[in-house]
Structures are given as C-alpha cells and as structure tokens.
C-alpha cells in the first residue's frame, strides 16, 4: 500500500487511546488522515495517544471523552465531531467485556455492554452516514469480534452485542451501497472480526498459562490458542490496523457488508 493514501480524509476512532483503537488511529495518521480520538482515560494517556498519532504522520489530532454508556453523550460526541468539518471515516472500536455464566450475569452489566458495544455504534452510524452519502465517500468499519460469528460460554452480552454489530453493519451496507461512485470512492460499511489479538487485556491469561505450564511466553500462547485458533499465533494490533486502512482506499468501493475474520482459522473449523 502506498504512503499517504488517505491525505485530506478525517476519521473518528472510538476507544482509541490504547490497544487496537490506538493502532488503527496511528495507521490512519500514517496514511495522512486527520484524527479524532476518543476514550475515557487519564490526561497522561490522552497526551501520549495524541503524540503517537502525530508522530505517525497525522496532520492534526483531537481527543473527545464522551461516555458511550449514555445515548445523549454519543449524540454530543457526534455533534462535536461534525461541528468543525465533515467525517470521512468512522471506526467503532470502543468496547467492554465481562465474563460470567448467563444465570449470574448482572443485568446492569448487560445494559453497559449492549450500550457501549452496540447501541453507541448504531448512533454514530445513523449520524455519520447521511453526510458521507451526500459527499459520495465514506467508510464505516466496525470492530466486531470472532464472537460476532461464533459463540463462547460466559459471554452472553458480549456475544449478543457482537452478533448485533454484524447484523447492523449488513443493514447499513445495503442501505448505502449505491451512494457515490467508483470515482468518489462510494460508501461502505464492514466489520472486522479479530480472534486472539495481543493487547493488554490478554496478557494476564498468557502469564497465568506460562506459570501453569512452566514454559516461556510463546509456548504459553500456543497452548492458550490451540483449542480455538488453529494458527496458534495471535494477531498484532498493527496488523488489524493495516486491514482497516486498506478498506478505506477507493479501490475497496465494492467491498461492503462483509464480516472479515482475522482469527487464524478459528471460524473456518
């Protein structure tokens, strides 16, 4: 992929102060995008994220801190984003997780996971897509999960939200499929469905497995992944980010409504 393929574009990435979201923001910045970062974090983490995105090559960056649990806050997030200039790329990455058997899952936890992982994406999309369609170019990329394609125990609200994200994305893709043109780039809506990805959230599981087996990190990862991910390799956040930026290229104008697993063969089984 050539450098600076997204010069002049502007992107909002939710949940982008660390992890996969920050990797996506950096890669978009590297391709010339102006960035709107989003997240609930310390001032230090926000400053570090901005610095990383600017260092990658973004012409400008700002941070918004609205709480996606609250629909009115999502509305304000989008109003703030769209107040200064149009939005070309929307990446719905923000998400939370909690594991417990269905019978023991607190109702408040269900509400929070559905609100952040699904309802917030509905609101950002319904507010962003019409202005994308008017200009003939837009990219919505929803970071779902392998759990938007297959289920696992003890993850009822997370799996429900991610399956919902896949269905929501397909509906939006159909509704906006004929917006724009090949020349303008069109408007597309897609999901990326990562399997095991190296973020801070899985490090405790890797450490625990290494201690249990008395092995090194790589052997612990292979053992941890062997039941689900046939490659026995994790993905890196930067690898997920490269797929996002490719989907933003004009050449991807006819790639819409897909749910792309990056899961080492998990869902091929």
């Amino acid at each position: 992929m050539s450098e600076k393929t997204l010069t002049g574009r502007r992107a909002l990435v939710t949940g982008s102060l660390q992890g996969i979201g920050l990797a996506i923001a950096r890669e978009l910045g590297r391709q010339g995008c102006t960035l709107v970062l989003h997240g609930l974090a310390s001032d230090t983490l926000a400053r570090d994220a901005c610095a990383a995105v600017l260092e990658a090559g973004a012409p400008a960056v700002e941070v918004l801190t609205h709480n996606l649990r609250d629909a009115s806050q999502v509305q304000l997030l989008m109003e703030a984003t769209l107040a200064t200039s149009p939005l070309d790329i929307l990446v719905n990455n923000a998400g939370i997780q909690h594991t417990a058997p269905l019978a023991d899952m607190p109702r408040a936890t269900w509400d929070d996971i559905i609100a952040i992982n699904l309802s917030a994406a509905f609101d950002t999309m319904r507010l962003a897509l019409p202005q994308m369609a008017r200009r003939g170019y837009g990219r919505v990329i929803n970071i779902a999960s392998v759990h938007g394609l297959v289920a696992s125990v003890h993850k009822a609200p997370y799996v429900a939200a991610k399956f919902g994200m896949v269905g929501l994305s397909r509906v939006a893709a159909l509704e906006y499929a004929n917006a724009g043109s090949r020349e303008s780039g069109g408007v597309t809506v897609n999901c990326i469905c990562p399997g095991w990805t190296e973020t801070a959230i899985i490090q405790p599981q890797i450490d625990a497995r290494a201690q249990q087996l008395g092995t090194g990190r790589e052997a612990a990862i292979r053992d941890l992944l062997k039941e689900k991910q046939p490659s026995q390799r994790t993905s890196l956040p930067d690898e997920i980010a490269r797929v996002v930026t490719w989907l933003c290229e004009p050449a991807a104008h006819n790639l819409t409504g897909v749910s792309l697993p990056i899961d080492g063969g998990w869902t091929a089984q």
Side-chain angles (χ1 to χ4, degrees):
M1 184 167 57
S2 60
E3 290 299 307
K4 302 296 183 183
T5 57
L6 299 175
T7 297
R9 302 296 187 188
R10 184 166 177 260
L12 165 64
V13 185
T14 67
S16 52
L17 300 185
Q18 56 189 338
I20 292 173
L22 179 56
I24 291 169
R26 284 199 312 265
E27 187 61 29
L28 290 170
R30 190 172 291 115
Q31 299 304 325
C33 243
T34 295
L35 266 299
V36 181
L37 304 183
H38 161 268
L40 302 177
S42 67
D43 290 344
T44 299
L45 191 61
R47 284 195 301 270
D48 289 347
C50 285
V53 172
L54 289 171
E55 183 180 0
V61 61
E62 62 181 299
V63 178
L64 298 176
T65 59
H66 300 78
N67 190 332
L68 302 186
R69 285 178 174 83
D70 183 345
S72 66
Q73 286 287 302
V74 183
Q75 177 83 27
L76 292 173
L77 167 69
M78 294 307 294
E79 289 176 0
T81 299
L82 296 171
T84 52
S85 59
L87 187 66
D88 299 294
I89 298 163
L90 168 64
V91 182
N92 283 305
N93 172 72
I96 59 172
Q97 168 68 293
H98 179 77
T99 58
L102 182 65
D104 299 330
M105 186 70 69
R107 177 52 195 260
T109 300
W110 168 275
D111 289 342
D112 283 348
I113 291 175
I114 296 298
I116 294 171
N117 294 25
L118 179 58
S119 298
F122 165 76
D123 284 319
T124 59
M125 289 166 65
R126 71 178 178 84
L127 295 167
L129 278 163
Q131 52 94 47
M132 292 177 176
R134 285 193 294 272
R135 290 178 295 107
Y137 173 88
R139 295 291 185 268
V140 176
I141 298 157
N142 292 322
I143 308 303
S145 167
V146 68
H147 285 115
L149 303 171
V150 295
S152 291
V153 298
H154 299 170
K155 297 181 180 180
Y158 186 81
V159 170
K162 296 303 186 180
F163 265 74
M165 179 79 89
V166 168
L168 172 64
S169 300
R170 290 177 180 176
V171 171
L174 291 174
E175 291 185 1
Y176 287 89
N178 67 352
S181 63
R182 177 181 286 106
E183 290 72 27
S184 68
V187 177
T188 68
V189 183
N190 293 294
C191 280
I192 292 177
C193 300
W196 286 93
T197 304
E198 292 230 18
T199 60
I201 199 169
I202 73 163
Q203 190 58 48
Q205 297 174 74
I206 295 171
D207 293 341
R209 188 62 60 98
Q211 184 174 6
Q212 175 189 343
L213 298 175
T215 62
R217 189 173 190 276
E218 290 304 313
I221 288 172
R222 287 193 298 273
D223 190 75
L224 189 65
L225 271 59
K226 67 183 179 182
E227 294 178 5
K228 299 274 188 166
Q229 195 151 307
S231 69
Q232 296 184 31
R233 298 188 302 273
T234 58
S235 296
L236 299 177
D238 287 348
E239 294 165 354
I240 307 296
R242 291 295 297 273
V243 178
V244 170
T245 53
W246 183 79
L247 288 172
C248 293
E249 291 203 15
H253 66 95
N254 254 343
L255 204 169
T256 193
V258 305
S259 301
L260 182 63
I262 305 177
D263 63 1
W266 184 336
T267 54
Q269 299 176 96

